[in-house]
Amino acid sequence: MSTITFRVTDDEKAFIQSMADLNGLSLSEMARTRLLEGLEDQIDMALYEKAMKAHELNDESVSHQDMLQELGL
């Protein structure tokens, strides 16, 4: 297992520690979990934006009314 070190102010450390305590996690686990979640969210958003651009270029949406008509409802 590797170790990553980063600097924070005393106030930031106290805040992170209090949030870790609130969530029942060690400071290390809190930092690791939130960092990885944030990066995963960034990837998800990039994929979403890419998919939306592709959808806008080739929009095959059907209105609710057209779908009802197509289904004979």
Short mmCIF file of all heavy atoms in Angstrom, two decimals:
data_model
loop_
_atom_site.label_atom_id
_atom_site.label_comp_id
_atom_site.label_asym_id
_atom_site.label_seq_id
_atom_site.Cartn_x
_atom_site.Cartn_y
_atom_site.Cartn_z
N MET A 1 0.86 -1.18 0.00
CA MET A 1 0.00 0.00 0.00
C MET A 1 0.90 1.23 0.00
O MET A 1 1.91 1.26 0.67
CB MET A 1 -0.92 -0.01 1.23
CG MET A 1 -1.89 1.14 1.24
SD MET A 1 -3.12 1.06 2.55
CE MET A 1 -4.22 -0.15 1.88
N SER A 2 0.48 2.25 -0.72
CA SER A 2 1.24 3.49 -0.83
C SER A 2 0.70 4.55 0.12
O SER A 2 -0.43 4.47 0.57
CB SER A 2 1.18 4.04 -2.25
OG SER A 2 1.76 3.14 -3.15
N THR A 3 1.53 5.55 0.37
CA THR A 3 1.14 6.67 1.20
C THR A 3 1.21 7.94 0.39
O THR A 3 2.17 8.15 -0.36
CB THR A 3 2.08 6.81 2.42
OG1 THR A 3 2.01 5.61 3.18
CG2 THR A 3 1.70 7.98 3.28
N ILE A 4 0.20 8.80 0.51
CA ILE A 4 0.17 10.10 -0.13
C ILE A 4 0.07 11.14 0.98
O ILE A 4 -0.75 11.01 1.88
CB ILE A 4 -1.02 10.23 -1.09
CG1 ILE A 4 -0.91 9.21 -2.21
CG2 ILE A 4 -1.12 11.64 -1.65
CD1 ILE A 4 -2.13 9.14 -3.10
N THR A 5 0.88 12.17 0.89
CA THR A 5 0.87 13.22 1.90
C THR A 5 0.49 14.53 1.24
O THR A 5 0.94 14.83 0.14
CB THR A 5 2.27 13.36 2.53
OG1 THR A 5 2.66 12.10 3.06
CG2 THR A 5 2.28 14.41 3.62
N PHE A 6 -0.36 15.30 1.89
CA PHE A 6 -0.67 16.64 1.41
C PHE A 6 -0.83 17.56 2.60
O PHE A 6 -1.15 17.14 3.70
CB PHE A 6 -1.89 16.68 0.48
CG PHE A 6 -3.15 16.14 1.08
CD1 PHE A 6 -4.07 17.00 1.68
CD2 PHE A 6 -3.44 14.79 1.04
CE1 PHE A 6 -5.24 16.51 2.22
CE2 PHE A 6 -4.62 14.30 1.58
CZ PHE A 6 -5.52 15.16 2.18
N ARG A 7 -0.57 18.82 2.37
CA ARG A 7 -0.58 19.80 3.45
C ARG A 7 -1.94 20.50 3.55
O ARG A 7 -2.56 20.80 2.54
CB ARG A 7 0.51 20.83 3.23
CG ARG A 7 1.90 20.25 3.24
CD ARG A 7 2.95 21.34 3.13
NE ARG A 7 4.28 20.79 2.96
CZ ARG A 7 5.02 20.21 3.90
NH1 ARG A 7 4.54 20.11 5.11
NH2 ARG A 7 6.21 19.74 3.64
N VAL A 8 -2.36 20.69 4.79
CA VAL A 8 -3.58 21.44 5.07
C VAL A 8 -3.29 22.36 6.26
O VAL A 8 -2.35 22.12 7.02
CB VAL A 8 -4.78 20.51 5.40
CG1 VAL A 8 -5.15 19.66 4.20
CG2 VAL A 8 -4.47 19.63 6.60
N THR A 9 -4.09 23.38 6.41
CA THR A 9 -3.95 24.25 7.57
C THR A 9 -4.46 23.51 8.81
O THR A 9 -5.15 22.48 8.70
CB THR A 9 -4.77 25.54 7.40
OG1 THR A 9 -6.16 25.20 7.38
CG2 THR A 9 -4.39 26.29 6.12
N ASP A 10 -4.15 24.05 9.96
CA ASP A 10 -4.64 23.45 11.21
C ASP A 10 -6.17 23.45 11.25
O ASP A 10 -6.78 22.48 11.69
CB ASP A 10 -4.08 24.19 12.43
CG ASP A 10 -2.58 23.96 12.62
OD1 ASP A 10 -2.06 22.95 12.10
OD2 ASP A 10 -1.95 24.79 13.30
N ASP A 11 -6.77 24.53 10.77
CA ASP A 11 -8.24 24.62 10.73
C ASP A 11 -8.82 23.57 9.78
O ASP A 11 -9.84 22.94 10.10
CB ASP A 11 -8.69 26.01 10.30
CG ASP A 11 -8.47 27.06 11.36
OD1 ASP A 11 -8.28 26.68 12.55
OD2 ASP A 11 -8.49 28.26 11.02
N GLU A 12 -8.19 23.39 8.62
CA GLU A 12 -8.67 22.38 7.68
C GLU A 12 -8.55 20.98 8.26
O GLU A 12 -9.47 20.16 8.12
CB GLU A 12 -7.89 22.48 6.36
CG GLU A 12 -8.20 23.73 5.56
CD GLU A 12 -7.23 23.97 4.42
OE1 GLU A 12 -6.08 23.48 4.47
OE2 GLU A 12 -7.64 24.66 3.46
N LYS A 13 -7.43 20.70 8.94
CA LYS A 13 -7.26 19.39 9.56
C LYS A 13 -8.32 19.16 10.63
O LYS A 13 -8.92 18.07 10.71
CB LYS A 13 -5.88 19.24 10.18
CG LYS A 13 -5.70 17.85 10.78
CD LYS A 13 -4.35 17.67 11.44
CE LYS A 13 -4.29 16.24 11.96
NZ LYS A 13 -3.84 16.09 13.28
N ALA A 14 -8.58 20.16 11.43
CA ALA A 14 -9.59 20.03 12.48
C ALA A 14 -10.97 19.77 11.87
O ALA A 14 -11.73 18.93 12.36
CB ALA A 14 -9.62 21.29 13.34
N PHE A 15 -11.27 20.47 10.79
CA PHE A 15 -12.55 20.27 10.11
C PHE A 15 -12.65 18.85 9.54
O PHE A 15 -13.66 18.16 9.74
CB PHE A 15 -12.74 21.30 9.00
CG PHE A 15 -13.95 21.06 8.16
CD1 PHE A 15 -15.22 21.27 8.68
CD2 PHE A 15 -13.83 20.62 6.85
CE1 PHE A 15 -16.35 21.04 7.91
CE2 PHE A 15 -14.95 20.39 6.08
CZ PHE A 15 -16.21 20.60 6.60
N ILE A 16 -11.61 18.42 8.84
CA ILE A 16 -11.61 17.07 8.25
C ILE A 16 -11.72 16.02 9.36
O ILE A 16 -12.48 15.05 9.23
CB ILE A 16 -10.35 16.85 7.39
CG1 ILE A 16 -10.37 17.79 6.18
CG2 ILE A 16 -10.28 15.39 6.92
CD1 ILE A 16 -9.03 17.85 5.43
N GLN A 17 -10.99 16.23 10.44
CA GLN A 17 -11.04 15.28 11.56
C GLN A 17 -12.43 15.22 12.17
O GLN A 17 -12.95 14.15 12.47
CB GLN A 17 -10.01 15.63 12.63
CG GLN A 17 -9.96 14.64 13.78
CD GLN A 17 -9.48 13.27 13.33
OE1 GLN A 17 -8.36 13.15 12.88
NE2 GLN A 17 -10.32 12.25 13.48
N SER A 18 -13.06 16.37 12.33
CA SER A 18 -14.41 16.39 12.92
C SER A 18 -15.42 15.71 11.98
O SER A 18 -16.32 15.01 12.44
CB SER A 18 -14.85 17.80 13.27
OG SER A 18 -15.01 18.59 12.12
N MET A 19 -15.25 15.88 10.69
CA MET A 19 -16.14 15.21 9.74
C MET A 19 -15.90 13.71 9.74
O MET A 19 -16.84 12.92 9.65
CB MET A 19 -15.96 15.79 8.34
CG MET A 19 -16.43 17.22 8.19
SD MET A 19 -18.17 17.47 8.67
CE MET A 19 -19.01 16.48 7.45
N ALA A 20 -14.65 13.31 9.86
CA ALA A 20 -14.33 11.88 9.95
C ALA A 20 -14.96 11.29 11.21
O ALA A 20 -15.58 10.21 11.16
CB ALA A 20 -12.82 11.68 9.95
N ASP A 21 -14.83 11.99 12.32
CA ASP A 21 -15.43 11.53 13.58
C ASP A 21 -16.95 11.41 13.45
O ASP A 21 -17.55 10.43 13.89
CB ASP A 21 -15.09 12.49 14.73
CG ASP A 21 -13.62 12.49 15.09
OD1 ASP A 21 -12.89 11.55 14.69
OD2 ASP A 21 -13.18 13.46 15.76
N LEU A 22 -17.55 12.41 12.82
CA LEU A 22 -19.00 12.41 12.62
C LEU A 22 -19.46 11.20 11.81
O LEU A 22 -20.52 10.64 12.06
CB LEU A 22 -19.42 13.71 11.91
CG LEU A 22 -20.90 13.90 11.65
CD1 LEU A 22 -21.66 14.07 12.96
CD2 LEU A 22 -21.12 15.11 10.75
N ASN A 23 -18.62 10.78 10.86
CA ASN A 23 -18.96 9.65 10.00
C ASN A 23 -18.39 8.32 10.50
O ASN A 23 -18.52 7.30 9.82
CB ASN A 23 -18.45 9.92 8.57
CG ASN A 23 -19.30 10.96 7.87
OD1 ASN A 23 -20.39 10.67 7.41
ND2 ASN A 23 -18.81 12.19 7.81
N GLY A 24 -17.75 8.34 11.66
CA GLY A 24 -17.21 7.10 12.22
C GLY A 24 -16.05 6.54 11.42
O GLY A 24 -15.88 5.32 11.35
N LEU A 25 -15.25 7.43 10.81
CA LEU A 25 -14.13 7.00 9.98
C LEU A 25 -12.84 7.57 10.54
O LEU A 25 -12.83 8.57 11.24
CB LEU A 25 -14.31 7.51 8.54
CG LEU A 25 -15.57 7.10 7.80
CD1 LEU A 25 -15.70 7.88 6.50
CD2 LEU A 25 -15.56 5.60 7.53
N SER A 26 -11.73 6.91 10.18
CA SER A 26 -10.44 7.51 10.50
C SER A 26 -10.22 8.68 9.55
O SER A 26 -10.86 8.77 8.49
CB SER A 26 -9.32 6.48 10.32
OG SER A 26 -9.17 6.16 8.94
N LEU A 27 -9.32 9.57 9.92
CA LEU A 27 -9.02 10.71 9.06
C LEU A 27 -8.53 10.21 7.70
O LEU A 27 -8.95 10.72 6.66
CB LEU A 27 -7.95 11.59 9.72
CG LEU A 27 -7.74 12.94 9.05
CD1 LEU A 27 -7.51 14.00 10.12
CD2 LEU A 27 -6.59 12.89 8.11
N SER A 28 -7.70 9.20 7.69
CA SER A 28 -7.16 8.64 6.45
C SER A 28 -8.27 8.07 5.56
O SER A 28 -8.32 8.33 4.36
CB SER A 28 -6.14 7.55 6.77
OG SER A 28 -5.62 7.00 5.59
N GLU A 29 -9.18 7.30 6.18
CA GLU A 29 -10.26 6.71 5.41
C GLU A 29 -11.21 7.77 4.87
O GLU A 29 -11.70 7.70 3.75
CB GLU A 29 -11.04 5.69 6.23
CG GLU A 29 -12.06 4.94 5.41
CD GLU A 29 -12.70 3.77 6.14
OE1 GLU A 29 -12.37 3.55 7.32
OE2 GLU A 29 -13.53 3.11 5.52
N MET A 30 -11.46 8.79 5.68
CA MET A 30 -12.32 9.90 5.25
C MET A 30 -11.73 10.60 4.04
O MET A 30 -12.41 10.82 3.03
CB MET A 30 -12.50 10.89 6.40
CG MET A 30 -13.30 12.11 6.06
SD MET A 30 -15.03 11.68 5.97
CE MET A 30 -15.71 13.30 5.83
N ALA A 31 -10.44 10.94 4.12
CA ALA A 31 -9.78 11.64 3.01
C ALA A 31 -9.76 10.77 1.76
O ALA A 31 -10.08 11.23 0.66
CB ALA A 31 -8.36 12.04 3.42
N ARG A 32 -9.40 9.50 1.91
CA ARG A 32 -9.33 8.59 0.77
C ARG A 32 -10.70 8.42 0.12
O ARG A 32 -10.85 8.55 -1.11
CB ARG A 32 -8.78 7.23 1.22
CG ARG A 32 -8.68 6.22 0.10
CD ARG A 32 -8.10 4.87 0.54
NE ARG A 32 -8.79 4.30 1.70
CZ ARG A 32 -8.28 4.25 2.92
NH1 ARG A 32 -7.08 4.73 3.18
NH2 ARG A 32 -8.97 3.71 3.91
N THR A 33 -11.71 8.17 0.93
CA THR A 33 -13.06 7.94 0.41
C THR A 33 -13.58 9.16 -0.33
O THR A 33 -14.07 9.05 -1.46
CB THR A 33 -14.01 7.59 1.57
OG1 THR A 33 -13.54 6.42 2.21
CG2 THR A 33 -15.42 7.35 1.07
N ARG A 34 -13.47 10.33 0.28
CA ARG A 34 -13.99 11.55 -0.35
C ARG A 34 -13.22 11.92 -1.60
O ARG A 34 -13.81 12.38 -2.58
CB ARG A 34 -14.00 12.71 0.64
CG ARG A 34 -14.89 12.49 1.82
CD ARG A 34 -16.33 12.34 1.40
NE ARG A 34 -17.17 12.25 2.58
CZ ARG A 34 -18.24 11.50 2.66
NH1 ARG A 34 -18.62 10.77 1.64
NH2 ARG A 34 -18.95 11.47 3.76
N LEU A 35 -11.91 11.73 -1.58
CA LEU A 35 -11.10 12.03 -2.76
C LEU A 35 -11.50 11.12 -3.92
O LEU A 35 -11.75 11.59 -5.04
CB LEU A 35 -9.61 11.86 -2.45
CG LEU A 35 -8.66 12.04 -3.62
CD1 LEU A 35 -8.77 13.44 -4.20
CD2 LEU A 35 -7.24 11.75 -3.20
N LEU A 36 -11.60 9.83 -3.66
CA LEU A 36 -11.98 8.89 -4.72
C LEU A 36 -13.40 9.15 -5.22
O LEU A 36 -13.66 9.10 -6.43
CB LEU A 36 -11.82 7.45 -4.24
CG LEU A 36 -10.37 7.00 -4.03
CD1 LEU A 36 -10.32 5.62 -3.40
CD2 LEU A 36 -9.58 7.03 -5.32
N GLU A 37 -14.33 9.43 -4.31
CA GLU A 37 -15.69 9.75 -4.72
C GLU A 37 -15.73 10.99 -5.60
O GLU A 37 -16.45 11.04 -6.60
CB GLU A 37 -16.60 9.95 -3.51
CG GLU A 37 -16.95 8.67 -2.79
CD GLU A 37 -17.75 8.90 -1.52
OE1 GLU A 37 -17.95 10.08 -1.12
OE2 GLU A 37 -18.17 7.91 -0.90
N GLY A 38 -14.97 12.00 -5.24
CA GLY A 38 -14.93 13.23 -6.02
C GLY A 38 -14.38 12.99 -7.42
O GLY A 38 -14.91 13.52 -8.41
N LEU A 39 -13.33 12.18 -7.52
CA LEU A 39 -12.76 11.87 -8.83
C LEU A 39 -13.72 11.04 -9.66
O LEU A 39 -13.85 11.26 -10.88
CB LEU A 39 -11.41 11.16 -8.65
CG LEU A 39 -10.32 12.00 -8.02
CD1 LEU A 39 -9.09 11.14 -7.72
CD2 LEU A 39 -9.96 13.20 -8.89
N GLU A 40 -14.40 10.08 -9.04
CA GLU A 40 -15.39 9.28 -9.75
C GLU A 40 -16.54 10.15 -10.24
O GLU A 40 -17.04 9.97 -11.36
CB GLU A 40 -15.90 8.14 -8.87
CG GLU A 40 -14.85 7.07 -8.63
CD GLU A 40 -15.25 6.08 -7.54
OE1 GLU A 40 -16.32 6.24 -6.91
OE2 GLU A 40 -14.47 5.14 -7.31
N ASP A 41 -16.97 11.09 -9.42
CA ASP A 41 -18.03 12.03 -9.83
C ASP A 41 -17.58 12.85 -11.03
O ASP A 41 -18.36 13.12 -11.95
CB ASP A 41 -18.41 12.96 -8.69
CG ASP A 41 -19.18 12.26 -7.58
OD1 ASP A 41 -19.60 11.10 -7.78
OD2 ASP A 41 -19.33 12.87 -6.50
N GLN A 42 -16.31 13.25 -11.05
CA GLN A 42 -15.78 14.03 -12.17
C GLN A 42 -15.80 13.20 -13.45
O GLN A 42 -16.19 13.70 -14.51
CB GLN A 42 -14.36 14.48 -11.85
CG GLN A 42 -13.76 15.41 -12.88
CD GLN A 42 -12.38 15.89 -12.49
OE1 GLN A 42 -11.90 15.67 -11.39
NE2 GLN A 42 -11.73 16.57 -13.41
N ILE A 43 -15.44 11.93 -13.37
CA ILE A 43 -15.48 11.05 -14.53
C ILE A 43 -16.93 10.87 -14.99
O ILE A 43 -17.23 10.94 -16.19
CB ILE A 43 -14.85 9.68 -14.21
CG1 ILE A 43 -13.34 9.83 -14.02
CG2 ILE A 43 -15.16 8.65 -15.30
CD1 ILE A 43 -12.66 8.61 -13.45
N ASP A 44 -17.84 10.63 -14.05
CA ASP A 44 -19.25 10.47 -14.39
C ASP A 44 -19.79 11.70 -15.11
O ASP A 44 -20.52 11.58 -16.10
CB ASP A 44 -20.10 10.21 -13.14
CG ASP A 44 -19.84 8.85 -12.51
OD1 ASP A 44 -19.25 7.98 -13.18
OD2 ASP A 44 -20.23 8.66 -11.34
N MET A 45 -19.44 12.90 -14.63
CA MET A 45 -19.92 14.12 -15.25
C MET A 45 -19.35 14.28 -16.65
O MET A 45 -20.07 14.68 -17.58
CB MET A 45 -19.57 15.34 -14.39
CG MET A 45 -20.17 16.63 -14.90
SD MET A 45 -21.97 16.61 -15.14
CE MET A 45 -22.53 16.58 -13.47
N ALA A 46 -18.09 13.95 -16.84
CA ALA A 46 -17.47 14.04 -18.17
C ALA A 46 -18.16 13.08 -19.14
O ALA A 46 -18.43 13.44 -20.30
CB ALA A 46 -15.98 13.75 -18.09
N LEU A 47 -18.45 11.87 -18.69
CA LEU A 47 -19.15 10.90 -19.54
C LEU A 47 -20.57 11.35 -19.86
O LEU A 47 -21.04 11.20 -20.99
CB LEU A 47 -19.17 9.52 -18.88
CG LEU A 47 -17.82 8.82 -18.79
CD1 LEU A 47 -17.94 7.55 -17.95
CD2 LEU A 47 -17.26 8.51 -20.16
N TYR A 48 -21.24 11.93 -18.88
CA TYR A 48 -22.59 12.45 -19.08
C TYR A 48 -22.57 13.57 -20.12
O TYR A 48 -23.40 13.58 -21.04
CB TYR A 48 -23.16 12.96 -17.76
CG TYR A 48 -24.40 13.81 -17.92
CD1 TYR A 48 -25.63 13.21 -18.16
CD2 TYR A 48 -24.34 15.20 -17.88
CE1 TYR A 48 -26.77 13.97 -18.33
CE2 TYR A 48 -25.47 15.97 -18.04
CZ TYR A 48 -26.68 15.36 -18.28
OH TYR A 48 -27.81 16.12 -18.46
N GLU A 49 -21.64 14.51 -19.98
CA GLU A 49 -21.56 15.62 -20.92
C GLU A 49 -21.27 15.13 -22.33
O GLU A 49 -21.84 15.61 -23.31
CB GLU A 49 -20.52 16.64 -20.46
CG GLU A 49 -20.97 17.41 -19.23
CD GLU A 49 -19.89 18.27 -18.62
OE1 GLU A 49 -18.73 18.24 -19.09
OE2 GLU A 49 -20.20 18.98 -17.64
N LYS A 50 -20.40 14.14 -22.45
CA LYS A 50 -20.08 13.55 -23.76
C LYS A 50 -21.32 12.89 -24.36
O LYS A 50 -21.63 13.06 -25.54
CB LYS A 50 -18.94 12.54 -23.62
CG LYS A 50 -18.50 11.94 -24.92
CD LYS A 50 -17.34 10.97 -24.70
CE LYS A 50 -16.94 10.32 -26.02
NZ LYS A 50 -15.83 9.37 -25.83
N ALA A 51 -22.05 12.15 -23.54
CA ALA A 51 -23.27 11.47 -24.02
C ALA A 51 -24.34 12.48 -24.43
O ALA A 51 -25.03 12.29 -25.44
CB ALA A 51 -23.81 10.53 -22.94
N MET A 52 -24.47 13.56 -23.66
CA MET A 52 -25.47 14.58 -24.00
C MET A 52 -25.13 15.29 -25.31
O MET A 52 -26.01 15.57 -26.12
CB MET A 52 -25.62 15.59 -22.86
CG MET A 52 -26.36 15.04 -21.66
SD MET A 52 -27.99 14.35 -22.03
CE MET A 52 -28.87 15.81 -22.55
N LYS A 53 -23.85 15.56 -25.54
CA LYS A 53 -23.44 16.18 -26.80
C LYS A 53 -23.75 15.25 -27.97
O LYS A 53 -24.23 15.69 -29.01
CB LYS A 53 -21.97 16.55 -26.77
CG LYS A 53 -21.69 17.78 -25.94
CD LYS A 53 -20.21 18.13 -25.92
CE LYS A 53 -20.00 19.34 -25.02
NZ LYS A 53 -18.60 19.68 -24.86
N ALA A 54 -23.47 13.96 -27.80
CA ALA A 54 -23.77 12.99 -28.85
C ALA A 54 -25.27 12.91 -29.08
O ALA A 54 -25.73 12.83 -30.23
CB ALA A 54 -23.21 11.61 -28.47
N HIS A 55 -26.04 12.95 -28.02
CA HIS A 55 -27.50 12.91 -28.13
C HIS A 55 -28.02 14.14 -28.87
O HIS A 55 -28.91 14.03 -29.72
CB HIS A 55 -28.13 12.83 -26.75
CG HIS A 55 -29.61 13.02 -26.74
ND1 HIS A 55 -30.48 12.08 -27.22
CD2 HIS A 55 -30.38 14.06 -26.32
CE1 HIS A 55 -31.72 12.52 -27.10
NE2 HIS A 55 -31.68 13.73 -26.55
N GLU A 56 -27.47 15.31 -28.55
CA GLU A 56 -27.91 16.54 -29.21
C GLU A 56 -27.62 16.51 -30.70
O GLU A 56 -28.39 17.06 -31.49
CB GLU A 56 -27.24 17.75 -28.56
CG GLU A 56 -27.77 18.04 -27.16
CD GLU A 56 -26.95 19.07 -26.40
OE1 GLU A 56 -25.96 19.59 -26.98
OE2 GLU A 56 -27.27 19.33 -25.23
N LEU A 57 -26.54 15.85 -31.10
CA LEU A 57 -26.19 15.76 -32.52
C LEU A 57 -27.09 14.79 -33.27
O LEU A 57 -27.28 14.92 -34.47
CB LEU A 57 -24.72 15.33 -32.68
CG LEU A 57 -23.68 16.33 -32.21
CD1 LEU A 57 -22.28 15.71 -32.29
CD2 LEU A 57 -23.75 17.61 -33.05
N ASN A 58 -27.64 13.81 -32.55
CA ASN A 58 -28.48 12.79 -33.19
C ASN A 58 -29.69 12.53 -32.31
O ASN A 58 -29.91 11.42 -31.84
CB ASN A 58 -27.67 11.51 -33.42
CG ASN A 58 -28.42 10.49 -34.24
OD1 ASN A 58 -29.30 10.83 -35.02
ND2 ASN A 58 -28.08 9.23 -34.07
N ASP A 59 -30.50 13.54 -32.09
CA ASP A 59 -31.66 13.45 -31.20
C ASP A 59 -32.77 12.66 -31.86
O ASP A 59 -33.31 13.05 -32.88
CB ASP A 59 -32.14 14.86 -30.84
CG ASP A 59 -33.26 14.84 -29.81
OD1 ASP A 59 -33.65 13.75 -29.37
OD2 ASP A 59 -33.70 15.93 -29.42
N GLU A 60 -33.08 11.52 -31.27
CA GLU A 60 -34.16 10.67 -31.77
C GLU A 60 -35.30 10.61 -30.76
O GLU A 60 -36.05 9.63 -30.70
CB GLU A 60 -33.63 9.28 -32.08
CG GLU A 60 -32.60 9.26 -33.20
CD GLU A 60 -32.06 7.87 -33.49
OE1 GLU A 60 -32.60 6.88 -32.96
OE2 GLU A 60 -31.09 7.78 -34.25
N SER A 61 -35.45 11.67 -29.98
CA SER A 61 -36.50 11.71 -28.96
C SER A 61 -37.88 11.68 -29.61
O SER A 61 -38.07 12.18 -30.71
CB SER A 61 -36.37 12.98 -28.12
OG SER A 61 -35.14 13.00 -27.45
N VAL A 62 -38.81 11.10 -28.89
CA VAL A 62 -40.19 11.04 -29.34
C VAL A 62 -41.05 11.69 -28.25
O VAL A 62 -40.88 11.39 -27.07
CB VAL A 62 -40.64 9.57 -29.56
CG1 VAL A 62 -42.08 9.50 -29.97
CG2 VAL A 62 -39.74 8.88 -30.56
N SER A 63 -41.94 12.57 -28.64
CA SER A 63 -42.78 13.23 -27.66
C SER A 63 -43.73 12.22 -27.03
O SER A 63 -44.03 11.16 -27.60
CB SER A 63 -43.58 14.37 -28.29
OG SER A 63 -44.60 13.84 -29.11
N HIS A 64 -44.22 12.56 -25.86
CA HIS A 64 -45.18 11.71 -25.17
C HIS A 64 -46.42 11.50 -26.04
O HIS A 64 -46.92 10.38 -26.17
CB HIS A 64 -45.55 12.35 -23.82
CG HIS A 64 -46.44 11.50 -22.99
ND1 HIS A 64 -47.76 11.77 -22.83
CD2 HIS A 64 -46.18 10.38 -22.27
CE1 HIS A 64 -48.30 10.84 -22.05
NE2 HIS A 64 -47.36 10.00 -21.69
N GLN A 65 -46.90 12.58 -26.64
CA GLN A 65 -48.09 12.50 -27.49
C GLN A 65 -47.84 11.59 -28.69
O GLN A 65 -48.68 10.76 -29.03
CB GLN A 65 -48.49 13.91 -27.97
CG GLN A 65 -49.82 13.95 -28.68
CD GLN A 65 -50.98 13.50 -27.81
OE1 GLN A 65 -51.02 13.80 -26.62
NE2 GLN A 65 -51.91 12.76 -28.37
N ASP A 66 -46.68 11.72 -29.34
CA ASP A 66 -46.36 10.86 -30.49
C ASP A 66 -46.26 9.39 -30.08
O ASP A 66 -46.69 8.50 -30.82
CB ASP A 66 -45.06 11.30 -31.15
CG ASP A 66 -45.20 12.63 -31.89
OD1 ASP A 66 -46.34 13.05 -32.15
OD2 ASP A 66 -44.14 13.23 -32.22
N MET A 67 -45.71 9.13 -28.89
CA MET A 67 -45.58 7.77 -28.41
C MET A 67 -46.95 7.16 -28.14
O MET A 67 -47.22 6.01 -28.50
CB MET A 67 -44.72 7.71 -27.16
CG MET A 67 -44.51 6.30 -26.63
SD MET A 67 -43.78 5.15 -27.81
CE MET A 67 -42.12 5.78 -27.89
N LEU A 68 -47.83 7.93 -27.54
CA LEU A 68 -49.20 7.45 -27.30
C LEU A 68 -49.89 7.12 -28.61
O LEU A 68 -50.55 6.08 -28.73
CB LEU A 68 -50.01 8.50 -26.52
CG LEU A 68 -49.64 8.70 -25.07
CD1 LEU A 68 -50.44 9.86 -24.48
CD2 LEU A 68 -49.86 7.44 -24.25
N GLN A 69 -49.71 7.99 -29.59
CA GLN A 69 -50.33 7.78 -30.90
C GLN A 69 -49.75 6.52 -31.56
O GLN A 69 -50.48 5.71 -32.12
CB GLN A 69 -50.12 8.99 -31.77
CG GLN A 69 -50.90 8.98 -33.07
CD GLN A 69 -50.75 10.30 -33.83
OE1 GLN A 69 -49.81 11.05 -33.62
NE2 GLN A 69 -51.70 10.56 -34.70
N GLU A 70 -48.42 6.37 -31.48
CA GLU A 70 -47.77 5.22 -32.08
C GLU A 70 -48.23 3.91 -31.42
O GLU A 70 -48.37 2.89 -32.09
CB GLU A 70 -46.25 5.36 -31.93
CG GLU A 70 -45.47 4.28 -32.63
CD GLU A 70 -43.96 4.51 -32.56
OE1 GLU A 70 -43.53 5.68 -32.61
OE2 GLU A 70 -43.24 3.49 -32.44
N LEU A 71 -48.52 3.97 -30.13
CA LEU A 71 -48.97 2.77 -29.41
C LEU A 71 -50.48 2.58 -29.52
O LEU A 71 -51.02 1.59 -29.02
CB LEU A 71 -48.57 2.88 -27.94
CG LEU A 71 -47.06 2.84 -27.64
CD1 LEU A 71 -46.79 3.14 -26.18
CD2 LEU A 71 -46.46 1.51 -28.05
N GLY A 72 -51.15 3.53 -30.15
CA GLY A 72 -52.60 3.43 -30.31
C GLY A 72 -53.35 3.67 -29.02
O GLY A 72 -54.45 3.14 -28.82
N LEU A 73 -52.82 4.48 -28.16
CA LEU A 73 -53.47 4.77 -26.88
C LEU A 73 -54.13 6.12 -26.87
O LEU A 73 -53.79 7.05 -27.46
CB LEU A 73 -52.45 4.70 -25.74
CG LEU A 73 -51.74 3.35 -25.59
CD1 LEU A 73 -50.66 3.43 -24.54
CD2 LEU A 73 -52.75 2.27 -25.20
#
